[in-house]
Amino acid sequence: GQFYELLLHEERNSLGKMIELGLARGGPEDPQFGATERQCDSPSLGMWVEYFPQAEIFGFDISDFSHLERRHDRFRFFRGDCGREADLIRLREAVGRDVDLVIDDASHASFHQQLALKTLFPCLRPGGLYVIEDLHWQPPHIEASLPAVPRTYDWLKALQDGNGLTSLLWSADDLRMLAGSIASLLVLTDLQVPGSRYRNAIGAMRKRQASE
């Protein structure tokens, strides 16, 4: 919460569009929080609706959260899989190219995070912010089933240091294009998670202004 307050407090009353990937804990094959076919509340959505009183909020999740559209008139839901480029493209084409904020709090699998970034970063307006949460952990049962890519934390650190890591998702040209469109990149580590013994890591990218 304090991280977002620091970055976004000046935009709180003017932010127009945001995307949140992942709307609640749990998901496929998670015995603690439920399977894919579930209907539940989204605590984060309630928080964003209150924090950004003018924002149109686009949610994306592998589970069905369309019932929350009836509760929040500024919320629009898209169901899809962060591992399916076609689903992410459908979201991208629906939201347009003037999004202020993207938050990836979905599966936390590196392939999913990087495919989403590659597909959705063009949605950001100049000066917009893209955040990837929970870089400190990848779900082993999902990670093992996906194509191998560098761990997103390592990949972002290399990008930050000017040494891009190529993979099946990122050619050298892709990396140059992304690096050229980023005004600033932070990779914050060792952030204490309230009520948890874990320390979090978060990546945040600010898109370059047209004049920069």
Side-chain angles (χ1 to χ4, degrees):
Q2 293 177 340
F3 170 77
Y4 289 110
E5 176 69 17
L6 178 66
L7 287 179
L8 298 166
H9 69 280
E10 293 185 357
E11 302 173 54
R12 179 173 183 180
N13 293 311
S14 62
L15 192 135
K17 283 185 182 180
M18 72 169 288
I19 297 171
E20 184 174 30
L21 308 177
L23 297 174
R25 297 184 72 180
E29 303 174 16
D30 189 321
Q32 185 176 0
F33 296 105
T36 304
E37 296 303 326
R38 58 178 181 150
Q39 282 203 348
C40 61
D41 199 3
S42 172
S44 61
L45 172 60
M47 177 183 69
W48 295 127
V49 167
E50 180 179 350
Y51 190 78
F52 296 121
Q54 306 299 324
E56 186 177 6
I57 300 170
F58 297 88
F60 183 89
D61 201 284
I62 199 168
S63 298
D64 186 4
F65 287 85
S66 59
H67 59 286
L68 297 180
E69 292 181 334
R70 297 188 294 273
R71 186 185 308 175
H72 304 290
D73 59 5
R74 290 185 283 114
F75 174 64
R76 186 175 174 192
F77 176 69
F78 291 82
R79 189 172 187 180
D81 184 335
C82 282
R84 285 178 48 85
E85 186 178 15
D87 291 351
L88 293 165
I89 290 174
R90 178 168 50 89
L91 173 64
R92 183 182 69 194
E93 297 307 311
V95 301
R97 302 299 176 104
D98 58 346
V99 174
D100 299 282
L101 173 65
V102 179
I103 297 175
D104 184 348
D105 190 22
S107 75
H108 311 305
S110 292
F111 180 84
H112 287 171
Q113 290 168 333
Q114 293 173 44
L115 180 61
L117 172 65
K118 186 175 182 180
T119 309
L120 299 178
F121 195 79
C123 293
L124 285 179
R125 63 163 176 81
L129 185 68
Y130 196 109
V131 178
I132 305 175
E133 295 193 348
D134 297 313
L135 295 174
H136 63 295
W137 176 80
Q138 290 76 47
H141 68 285
I142 298 178
E143 194 87 350
S145 68
L146 295 170
V149 296
R151 191 171 66 121
T152 301
Y153 173 84
D154 300 326
W155 185 85
L156 286 174
K157 288 292 291 182
L159 189 65
Q160 185 182 47
D161 295 339
N163 304 308
L165 298 177
T166 59
S167 70
L168 60 87
L169 281 176
W170 299 97
S171 68
D173 286 342
D174 293 330
L175 290 168
R176 280 193 293 270
M177 186 175 299
L178 179 64
S181 64
I182 293 174
S184 60
L185 168 59
L186 295 174
V187 182
L188 303 176
T189 60
D190 208 34
L191 299 174
Q192 182 64 54
V193 180
S196 170
R197 61 187 175 88
Y198 295 108
R199 291 185 177 271
N200 201 351
I202 291 177
M205 288 154 277
R206 182 76 69 175
K207 192 169 188 178
R208 189 179 300 277
Q209 296 279 2
S211 59
E212 290 181 291

